[in-house]
Amino acid sequence: MTTLEIFANNGLSEPFYWLTRPEAVYYNNKTYVVWHGTGFDPYITYYNHSSKTWATAIRVADNPMTLNGHGAPSMTVDSSGYIHVFYGATIAGGYPMKHAMSNSPESISGGFTVKSDI
């Protein structure tokens, strides 16, 4: 899959919102990227710098916010390799910040578990 197919076919409204940072994190030779996709849900993929390929994009979780792109996701990778995605917060809509964590270190294919609101 090309970069264009990943983002152009699934970017919604403001897939990367200018106030939300970071949308991408480099960790162990992969650059992980999050954005608003279908239904404003957070999606994630990564670019593998060794193989020069993009992973299949996956949906991280449901986003309750559906009116605008201001709750675009951001992310980090902790020291153990778990990927944390933060999304859905907006003051105007009264939505709390959501948090999802990868089920396996350095893996998006193993799914994500939604944690308590922040």
Side-chain angles (χ1 to χ4, degrees):
M1 183 173 291
T2 68
T3 307
L4 179 61
E5 290 170 327
I6 290 172
F7 299 108
N9 292 339
N10 190 350
L12 178 69
S13 182
E14 299 167 77
F16 306 109
Y17 188 59
W18 67 277
L19 285 173
T20 308
R21 299 285 184 263
E23 302 99 342
V25 171
Y26 177 85
Y27 186 84
N28 275 351
N29 213 35
K30 293 177 183 174
T31 299
Y32 297 91
V33 183
V34 293
W35 70 96
H36 265 160
T38 304
F40 289 97
D41 292 340
Y43 281 76
I44 189 168
T45 188
Y46 64 83
Y47 180 76
N48 185 315
H49 294 272
S50 297
S51 64
K52 299 184 184 329
T53 58
W54 286 93
T56 300
I58 68 154
R59 189 175 134 284
V60 173
D62 288 325
N63 186 353
M65 187 174 72
T66 59
L67 301 176
N68 63 51
H70 295 170
S74 63
M75 64 165 303
T76 191
V77 180
D78 68 26
S79 61
S80 297
Y82 286 92
I83 303 161
H84 299 264
V85 179
F86 306 95
Y87 60 96
T90 180
I91 295 170
Y95 296 104
M97 182 176 292
K98 303 292 184 183
H99 172 212
M101 185 176 104
S102 64
N103 292 326
S104 302
E106 300 182 51
S107 174
I108 65 171
S109 62
F112 285 76
T113 297
V114 175
K115 303 293 189 179
S116 298
D117 290 348
I118 297 174

